[in-house]
Amino acid sequence: MTDRLVLLGTLLFSTIVGCSAPAPTPMPMTPEIIQVVATPSATPTFVPPTITPTRTATPTPFVTPPALGEAAIVPILMYHHLADLPGNATELERTWTVAPKDFDAQMNLIAQRSFRAITMAQLVAHLRDRQSLPAQPIIISFDDGWAEQYEHAFPILKKHGLIGTFFVYTNPIDRKQFMTWTQLQEMASAGMDIQAHTLTHPHLRTLAPDAAYKEIAESKSILEKRLGKPIVAFSYPFGEYNAGIIDMVKRAGFASAVTLASGYKQRADELFTLHRIRVSYPDSLDDFAKRLP
Ligand SMILES: [Zn+2]
């Protein structure tokens, strides 16, 4: 009887271990099993043992890709200008600007809440190639390539150990108010994610197809040549796109594109119309926190 129970226990235990652990290495019997085997009065019903993890318990350090048709929870924050505005600033200025001290507080909150900043390439690998991501992924994106982003965002991101994704349009690089190539190269070397936003920031839908394609494809090749890194993501100027523009972005070799549509749920079938969360001047830290997952 005892021998049969030992055999039964061992077989069941092996089966359970075999289901959950990929390594075929035999594991030592846990005290729970010994207890079941050693109690003659126990009913023959086998109680599955609690498999004690060998490492200390920590939260899941990664997220697996979503099931087919499901969305991944990856907020992509969207910033443009980083500056202190005067009291009489226009509504437009207040919409597209965040004060540097507010940005610092927002990045501090992100770091405190254990978000992990990822790159656009990592998001593509997750949604398209079904790779895992670090737990609580977030993308911190900036459009246009303003000098303020190098001056204010770059040091704050570094201070909090975060990566920023900078969608830059290439023609004004090295001009007044915009970042320089030297600054972009420095940021890329420091692990920042630089991505494309056309040559001249046009209304793409109003351009002739050849001109629109040139804006999209050449911004990618110029950035790749100057930075020596693959450019995988595109940001539609003014958030404007249609089926023809999406097709051009795909043909130019991009793997993803971001819009101005609001939300943090990203789907594999929406890799070229990814959602973002706009942060604006009037937002309090509480407003900001409420928009995060
Ligand atoms: Zn823009």
Side-chain angles (χ1 to χ4, degrees):
M1 179 63 176
T2 307
D3 284 351
R4 286 180 64 192
L5 270 174
V6 169
L7 182 63
L8 179 66
T10 309
L11 280 172
L12 279 167
F13 179 65
S14 308
T15 311
I16 289 159
V17 169
C19 286
S20 58
T25 323
M27 289 180 71
M29 281 186 128
T30 61
E32 289 88 339
I33 295 206
I34 292 159
Q35 195 184 355
V36 169
V37 169
T39 314
S41 60
T43 54
T45 316
F46 178 73
V47 180
T50 309
I51 296 163
T52 315
T54 47
R55 270 176 281 174
T56 46
T58 46
T60 314
F62 60 87
V63 276
T64 51
L68 211 63
E70 298 282 308
I73 306 297
V74 183
I76 306 177
L77 300 177
M78 173 176 61
Y79 295 93
H80 285 72
H81 291 281
L82 288 159
D84 290 312
L85 291 177
N88 62 352
T90 64
E91 195 55 39
L92 202 65
E93 287 170 318
R94 288 162 62 80
T95 300
W96 301 108
T97 307
V98 168
K101 66 166 182 7
D102 290 343
F103 178 74
D104 192 8
Q106 289 157 8
M107 294 306 104
N108 184 55
L109 183 139
I110 284 187
Q112 292 298 312
R113 283 182 48 180
S114 305
F115 279 97
R116 309 268 287 277
I118 62 163
T119 63
M120 288 302 298
Q122 282 179 286
L123 179 60
V124 169
H126 185 64
L127 291 175
R128 188 191 66 189
D129 307 329
R130 308 196 54 75
Q131 304 280 309
S132 294
L133 283 180
Q136 286 188 259
I138 193 165
I139 292 175
I140 305 155
S141 83
F142 303 82
D143 278 11
D144 301 341
W146 303 108
E148 303 147 8
Q149 296 170 359
Y150 174 82
E151 192 187 336
H152 299 300
F154 182 39
I156 291 169
L157 289 166
K158 279 195 292 187
K159 181 174 85 175
H160 295 293
L162 298 166
I163 296 167
T165 295
F166 296 83
F167 291 97
V168 300
Y169 62 107
T170 52
N171 273 23
I173 296 173
D174 277 344
R175 290 191 203 154
K176 199 172 181 317
Q177 294 193 310
F178 287 87
M179 286 191 269
T180 65
W181 279 114
T182 309
Q183 290 169 340
L184 284 166
Q185 280 152 356
E186 181 192 341
M187 293 207 304
S189 302
M192 298 293 139
D193 187 24
I194 315 293
Q195 301 294 344
H197 195 36
T198 70
L199 303 171
T200 69
H201 209 282
H203 292 275
L204 284 171
R205 291 177 303 184
T206 67
L207 296 183
D210 282 359
Y213 185 75
K214 181 184 152 96
E215 285 275 353
I216 296 164
E218 284 192 13
S219 66
K220 183 178 193 292
S221 56
I222 288 170
L223 287 168
E224 285 178 339
K225 198 170 160 192
R226 295 296 290 252
L227 303 174
K229 293 190 176 189
I231 301 297
V232 300
F234 183 77
S235 171
Y236 302 105
F238 310 101
E240 295 171 358
Y241 62 91
N242 57 26
I245 300 296
I246 291 176
D247 185 55
M248 288 180 198
V249 172
K250 289 180 182 174
R251 259 197 298 134
F254 287 99
S256 62
V258 295
T259 67
L260 303 183
S262 186
Y264 53 66
K265 291 184 176 176
Q266 318 292 359
R267 303 164 58 97
D269 59 0
E270 292 176 342
L271 260 171
F272 291 85
T273 51
L274 294 168
H275 298 80
R276 291 197 285 179
I277 298 170
R278 188 178 69 202
V279 191
S280 294
Y281 208 81
D283 296 340
S284 69
L285 192 59
D286 198 39
D287 294 333
F288 174 80
K290 279 181 185 152
R291 281 195 229 137
L292 298 171

